[in-house]
Amino acid sequence: MDYDAIIIGAGISGLYQLYRLRELGLRVRVLEAGTGVGGTWYWNRYPGARFDSESYSYCYSFSAELLQEWDWTEHFSPQPQTLKYLNHVADKFDLRRDIEFSTRVTAAHYDDDARGWMVTADTGAQYRSRYLVTAIGPLSAPTMPRIDGIETFAGEAHHTARWPHHPVSFDGKRVAVIGTGATGVQAIQEIAKTAGHLTVFQRTPNWCKPLKNRPIDAAEMMRIKAGYADIFRRCEESFACFLHTPDPRNTFDVSAEEREAFLERLYEMPGFGMWQGNFRDMMTNPQANAVISDFIARKIRQRVSNPEVADKLIPKNHGFGTRRVPMETNYYEVYNQPNVLLVDLKETPIERITPNGIRTTAAEHPFDMIVFATGFDAVTGSFDRIDIRGVKAARLKDTWRPGIATFLGVLVRDFPNMFMLMGPHTALGNIPRSIEHNVDWVTGVIGHMQKFGLTRADAMPEAVAAWTEYVRETGQALLSNQVDSWMTGINSNVDGKQVRSMVRYSGSAPAYREWCRKVASGGYRELAFA
Ligand SMILES: Cc1cc2nc3c(=O)[nH]c(=O)nc-3n(C[C@H](O)[C@H](O)[C@H](O)COP(=O)(O)OP(=O)(O)OC[C@H]3O[C@@H](n4cnc5c(N)ncnc54)[C@H](O)[C@@H]3O)c2cc1C
C-alpha cells in the first residue's frame, strides 16, 4: 500500500479527517480537485457568499487554541474571511504537506485480495490505500440549466460555484441571474448594488428570511470566546446542531396575538431562528405551516412596492421551511429598484440563450453577463462523478439506483473500508458540527481496526436495513419530504433525479449521535471485520 488512507476532498471534512488520522500515526494523502483548501468556501466566491450559520457555531471546535486565536468579524462570516480561516487552519496544523491539489479523483476501485482501494486521478496518478474516506461535499458538484444555445452566449458567463479568482465587475453592465435559491438570493442583493441593469430569472420563488447580520467588535468577540463551551453544548443539544432549536409549543397552543408576537420576534432575530426555532409542529402540521407561511407572505407584500411583483415572489408550491430557507439582507427591496426586473419563468419560460442574451417566450433580453445560480447535483452528485466500485466491481451508482442504502450514512455494504463524510443519510444541519462528529466516529472505527490488526470492515446487511428504514421512518411525517428540492433528491437538470428519494437523514442530530455512540460502545457489532 502507498498509504494507509486516501481522503478525497480538502474542505472542512477532509481537513479535519487528515488531522485525526495523522493522530493515529497513519500515512494519509488528501486528493483535492481545487488549487487550495476550503471546499465550499474555496469554490463559492460569488459576491454576497456568506454563512447562514452563526460564525462561532460553524467553526471547528476541536482545538481550544484555534478557538481562542481566531477572531470572527461578523456574526455571519463572508466567504473571503471563512476561506482565510480555513487556510489558517491548514497552516496551523501543517496540513498542506499531505494534500495534493489540482488532483481530481476519477475512479476508486476496491481490491478484495489486497483489502484496499486503488484510486485513480485525472493527473494519471494512481494510489493504493487500505482506507478510502470520501469528503467530497454534499453541495460540491455544480449544475448548469438545460437551456438550448447555452454555449453560444458571447458575453461573460459564470456559475456561482465556479466563480473566477479575480474580481468581477458589474459596473454599468446588463446582468442576468438565473436561479433564486439560497445562493441566487445572496448574489442578487449584492449585484443589484452596482449593475447597470439586473434581470432575475425565477422559476421557483423561495421563502426568504432576513439574516440580520452585524459586525462583531473586540469586546463581543471576547465574550464569544469565553462562551464557546456553552455555544457548542447548545448546538449539541439542538435538533439540527444550530444555536436554534424548535420551540416546545405547537402553533395553535397559543392565542393569535401571542403567535403573531412570537413570529415577529423570530423574524427580527438574526439567523435561522424562524426556520429552526419555530413552533415544533411547523414542519409536520400543514395548518401550522400555512399560518407561518402566511406571516412571511405578508412581510413580502409589505416590503415589495409593486403588488404584482410581490405576488410573483411568494411561493405557491411549498410552505415555509420545507425547502432550504435563503437568508437575505434587503433582498425584497431590490425589486423596488428601477434597474431591476423580475422575470417569472413559469409565465414566460426561457426559449434559448443567444449570443446576445436570453430569449423567453415573451421577449429578447440582451446581456453583458449571465450568472448561473443554478445550484448543485446535491448529495450523490459528487459520488456519481467518480467511478466507485466495490466488491466484485459493483458500481456504487448501480447499487444506489433502486434506492440509497447506508449504515449511519457512513458505510455502504460491499464497499469495504470506504467511509463517507457528509454523504447521503447522515445528519447535516449546521454542517461542521456534524462533520466533527462524523470524522471522530470514522476515526474511532479505523483506530479500532488498527488496534486489533483488522484489514477489512463492511456493514452488516441487517444494520444497513435497520438504518435505512430509520431514515425513511424519521422522514415520513415531514412536510419537507413532500416537496421537490435537493433535499428530496430532485434536480430537473440532472438525468435520473426526477423522482423523489430519501437522500438525507431528517431526524434529530442527537438521535443520530446516539445510534453512532451505541455502535461504538458495543464494539462495532454492526460491522463485519476481517
Ligand atoms: C454557498 C454555500 C453556503 C453554505 N452555507 C452554509 C452554512 O451557512 N451553514 C452550513 O452548515 N452549511 C453551509 N453550506 C454547506 C457546506 O457545503 C458545508 O457547510 C461544508 O462546507 C461542507 O464541507 P465538506 O468538506 O464536507 O464539503 P465541501 O466543502 O464541498 O468540500 C468538498 C471538497 O471535495 C473536493 N472534491 C469533490 N470531488 C472530488 C474529486 N472527485 N476529486 C478530488 N476532489 C474532489 C471538492 O473540490 C471540495 O474541495 C453552504 C454551502 C454552500 C454551497
Side-chain angles (χ1 to χ4, degrees):
M1 298 284 170
D2 305 319
Y3 297 100
D4 296 310
I6 291 285
I7 299 169
I8 316 176
I12 295 178
S13 298
L15 293 178
Y16 182 47
Q17 186 67 78
L18 168 60
Y19 174 84
R20 295 287 273 135
L21 291 184
R22 259 195 203 165
E23 280 186 332
L24 290 183
L26 301 192
R27 288 166 306 144
V28 189
R29 202 75 179 152
V30 179
L31 306 177
E32 166 55 56
T35 59
V37 299
T40 292
W41 307 104
Y42 165 89
W43 293 105
N44 290 269
R45 296 164 189 253
Y46 61 85
R50 66 171 65 247
F51 287 161
D52 289 335
S53 302
E54 286 76 3
S55 309
Y56 35 84
S57 79
Y58 184 100
C59 56
Y60 286 118
S61 71
F62 69 88
S63 161
E65 202 178 278
L66 175 63
L67 287 170
Q68 292 307 315
E69 73 193 13
W70 185 262
D71 291 335
W72 295 103
T73 55
E74 295 180 47
H75 281 264
F76 301 91
S77 171
Q79 174 272 336
Q81 207 207 8
T82 306
L83 185 58
K84 208 166 143 196
Y85 167 73
L86 292 169
N87 274 285
H88 171 72
V89 171
D91 291 335
K92 179 176 175 66
F93 300 104
D94 189 21
L95 299 178
R96 283 176 221 279
R97 67 182 153 90
D98 288 325
I99 307 176
E100 267 171 59
F101 294 108
S102 305
T103 305
R104 179 171 288 282
V105 171
T106 52
H109 294 176
Y110 180 69
D111 174 352
D112 222 353
D113 295 329
R115 294 189 177 170
W117 286 85
M118 166 70 93
V119 176
T120 307
D122 60 355
T123 54
Q126 291 199 311
Y127 312 77
R128 285 183 180 280
S129 72
R130 170 80 63 221
Y131 309 109
L132 176 68
V133 181
T134 63
I136 51 186
L139 297 169
S140 80
T143 47
M144 292 291 279
R146 297 200 240 224
I147 303 174
D148 287 342
I150 199 163
E151 67 297 337
T152 65
F153 181 61
E156 256 180 275
H158 305 293
H159 190 288
T160 46
R162 288 293 177 269
W163 201 258
H165 290 203
H166 59 79
V168 173
S169 163
F170 309 99
D171 259 11
K173 291 183 185 163
R174 297 163 303 174
V175 182
V177 175
I178 302 181
T180 52
T183 284
V185 166
Q186 285 186 336
I188 287 162
Q189 63 201 19
E190 208 53 41
I191 294 171
K193 288 179 184 165
T194 54
H197 192 274
L198 171 64
T199 308
V200 176
F201 292 88
Q202 170 190 275
R203 186 180 58 184
T204 310
N206 281 292
W207 299 101
C208 309
K209 148 81 183 63
L211 179 63
K212 305 275 174 186
N213 186 28
R214 56 184 176 81
I216 300 175
D217 63 20
E220 190 170 20
M221 195 61 224
M222 265 173 67
R223 284 197 298 279
I224 290 169
K225 283 180 182 175
Y228 266 129
D230 184 51
I231 289 173
F232 295 127
R233 185 192 49 74
R234 283 166 60 200
C235 290
E236 195 162 321
E237 287 170 0
S238 71
F239 188 88
C241 310
F242 287 101
L243 285 171
H244 317 275
T245 203
D247 191 279
R249 297 167 302 170
N250 285 317
T251 307
F252 301 108
D253 287 350
V254 299
S255 68
E257 295 72 39
E258 207 179 320
R259 192 160 53 233
E260 186 76 4
F262 177 63
L263 295 179
E264 278 293 352
R265 252 196 334 275
L266 289 180
Y267 198 73
E268 290 307 314
M269 181 192 276
F272 273 146
M274 188 96 206
W275 188 22
Q276 299 292 330
N278 216 313
F279 293 113
R280 65 195 277 257
D281 59 346
M282 179 186 85
M283 296 299 287
T284 49
N285 176 352
Q287 283 80 35
N289 188 279
V291 166
I292 294 153
S293 301
D294 178 63
F295 175 89
I296 306 280
R298 278 185 277 135
K299 291 287 182 195
I300 298 173
R301 289 204 178 88
Q302 281 162 17
R303 293 173 58 186
V304 178
S305 33
N306 180 330
E308 275 175 36
V309 175
D311 197 55
K312 287 186 175 108
L313 289 164
I314 295 173
K316 310 290 186 303
N317 65 351
H318 67 282
F320 178 79
T322 61
R323 290 161 55 108
R324 165 67 150 88
V325 175
M327 303 300 276
E328 49 89 18
T329 306
N330 297 327
Y331 172 66
Y332 289 112
E333 286 72 13
V334 158
Y335 296 98
N336 299 335
Q337 290 181 209
N339 66 332
V340 177
L341 174 70
L342 178 67
V343 174
D344 184 342
L345 296 178
K346 291 266 159 50
E347 284 174 6
T348 56
I350 294 177
E351 279 186 347
R352 65 180 297 115
I353 292 182
T354 66
N356 208 21
I358 297 177
R359 193 163 75 217
T360 67
T361 50
E364 178 102 34
H365 303 266
F367 292 115
D368 302 305
M369 189 194 299
I370 302 178
V371 174
F372 294 97
T374 44
F376 301 92
D377 182 356
V379 187
T380 50
S382 41
F383 288 88
D384 290 347
R385 281 157 179 72
I386 306 174
D387 177 20
I388 301 178
R389 298 195 200 187
V391 172
K392 297 199 183 116
R395 283 173 201 271
L396 183 63
K397 207 172 171 172
D398 295 337
T399 305
W400 280 346
R401 208 178 298 278
I404 295 166
T406 74
F407 182 52
L408 302 176
V410 175
L411 290 130
V412 183
R413 173 78 184 163
D414 284 337
F415 292 78
N417 300 356
M418 180 179 91
F419 302 94
M420 303 183 294
L421 302 175
M422 296 302 103
H425 286 187
T426 194
L428 295 171
N430 185 20
I431 289 185
R433 302 281 61 77
S434 300
I435 288 175
E436 282 190 334
H437 173 267
N438 247 194
V439 167
D440 289 345
W441 195 84
V442 167
T443 307
V445 178
I446 293 179
H448 177 86
M449 292 176 72
Q450 292 294 114
K451 184 170 165 195
F452 295 103
L454 304 166
T455 50
R456 191 182 195 278
D458 201 355
M460 301 278 213
E462 317 80 68
V464 172
W467 177 251
T468 305
E469 174 56 20
Y470 184 66
V471 169
R472 196 193 59 77
E473 248 172 47
T474 48
Q476 223 172 12
L478 283 181
L479 299 173
S480 52
N481 286 329
Q482 295 160 28
V483 301
D484 290 351
S485 78
W486 67 259
M487 299 192 220
T488 52
I490 298 289
N491 187 329
S492 62
N493 295 314
V494 178
D495 286 335
K497 287 208 161 179
Q498 276 66 49
V499 179
R500 282 185 210 152
S501 60
M502 211 42 106
V503 290
R504 62 169 185 144
Y505 163 71
S506 36
S508 82
Y512 175 78
R513 285 194 298 268
E514 182 55 16
W515 266 74
C516 295
R517 193 196 58 75
K518 276 195 184 148
V519 173
S521 63
Y524 305 104
R525 281 195 301 269
E526 292 79 356
L527 307 193
F529 290 110

